[in-house]
Amino acid sequence: MGTAKRERQKAGRQARIEAARTAQRKAETRRRIVLSIGIVVFVAAVAGVLALVNRDDKSETAATSTTLDPITDSTPATLPPQVESALGKPCVALSEPLPSGAPDVPIEPGPPPTELVVEDLVEGQGEPVPENATVTINYIGVSCSTGQIFDSSWSRGAPATFPLNGLIQGWQQGIPGMKAGGRRLLVIPPDLGYGSSGSPPKIAPDETLFFVIDLISFQPPTTG
């Protein structure tokens, strides 16, 4: 009888051990499942954040790509919303204050000129600017139909340097002949500016442009 009792006790202990092991295995399995789910959720959350950041970066890049220096003879990769054409609209006087240090822009209200107007307001000295030179200038630009300033180096507090062969035709034709220290008025019709496309939102399609330009210096074009 003693032997049978010991066998039953031994079997009971073995059963309890097996039950404990089974419970431990189940707990370990549950822990691994929970951990796996947590990892999946974390990875998905990180991927979502990265996708959102990437989308914002792309949106910002697209917005930046629409910016266009209103002097350069080029078209932005993505055009801003359509702006009403200035075709047939008369010129109006300057409608906003001048930037500090900028000269007056003499706009005569009425029908815009149909050809390039070149008028020296101040005669410079020295050699005249040749074609395809690189010029250092101060300038202010006003839209004929609105009287609004669309660009000005005086607003930025520093002159600008441009190669003439990269600018709109009105500048390529209107700046050569200036001399250092000179000031010149250019009235540029649409076909020598931005034509029927304009440069929205600042310059409407078919807009006539008024510029007053101060020539500081220039570099002749390189040869060879």
Side-chain angles (χ1 to χ4, degrees):
M1 295 293 294
T3 301
K5 183 177 181 180
R6 285 196 297 273
E7 289 296 329
R8 289 194 298 272
Q9 290 176 343
K10 182 178 179 181
R13 286 196 299 270
Q14 188 65 34
R16 288 192 294 272
I17 291 172
E18 289 297 328
R21 288 176 178 174
T22 300
Q24 185 177 2
R25 286 195 296 268
K26 289 182 179 180
E28 181 66 21
T29 300
R30 286 195 298 270
R31 188 184 70 80
R32 290 178 180 176
I33 292 173
V34 171
L35 180 61
S36 297
I37 293 174
I39 292 173
V40 170
V41 172
F42 175 76
V43 170
V46 171
V49 171
L50 291 176
L52 181 61
V53 171
N54 188 47
R55 182 180 66 184
D56 291 342
D57 288 344
K58 289 182 178 178
S59 299
E60 183 177 351
T61 300
T64 303
S65 70
T66 65
T67 303
L68 173 69
D69 185 333
I71 304 305
T72 56
D73 187 13
S74 59
T75 303
T78 304
L79 289 176
Q82 182 63 41
V83 176
E84 182 182 357
S85 173
L87 185 65
K89 295 183 179 180
C91 295
V92 299
L94 185 68
S95 61
E96 57 184 308
L98 289 166
S100 177
D104 185 33
V105 182
I107 301 176
E108 183 175 347
T114 57
E115 297 183 354
L116 177 67
V117 175
V118 179
E119 180 183 345
D120 282 319
L121 306 177
V122 176
E123 290 283 350
Q125 295 182 345
E127 294 294 321
V129 175
E131 293 182 356
N132 298 324
T134 296
V135 296
T136 298
I137 58 174
N138 273 310
Y139 67 94
I140 181 171
V142 179
S143 294
C144 158
S145 67
T146 64
Q148 294 181 343
I149 299 168
F150 58 80
D151 194 16
S152 170
S153 64
W154 279 281
S155 297
R156 295 189 291 272
T161 299
F162 299 109
L164 284 178
N165 60 8
L167 308 182
I168 57 176
Q169 286 296 314
W171 277 43
Q172 292 190 43
Q173 297 179 24
I175 291 181
M178 289 189 73
K179 299 176 182 179
R183 173 172 292 169
R184 180 170 285 185
L185 169 69
L186 298 182
V187 186
I188 302 175
D191 61 320
L192 298 179
Y194 293 96
S196 59
S197 296
S199 180
K202 292 186 176 182
I203 300 175
D206 303 303
E207 183 68 89
T208 297
L209 310 176
F210 281 74
F211 286 99
V212 173
I213 298 169
D214 284 4
L215 177 66
I216 298 173
S217 63
F218 70 90
Q219 293 291 328
T222 57
T223 59

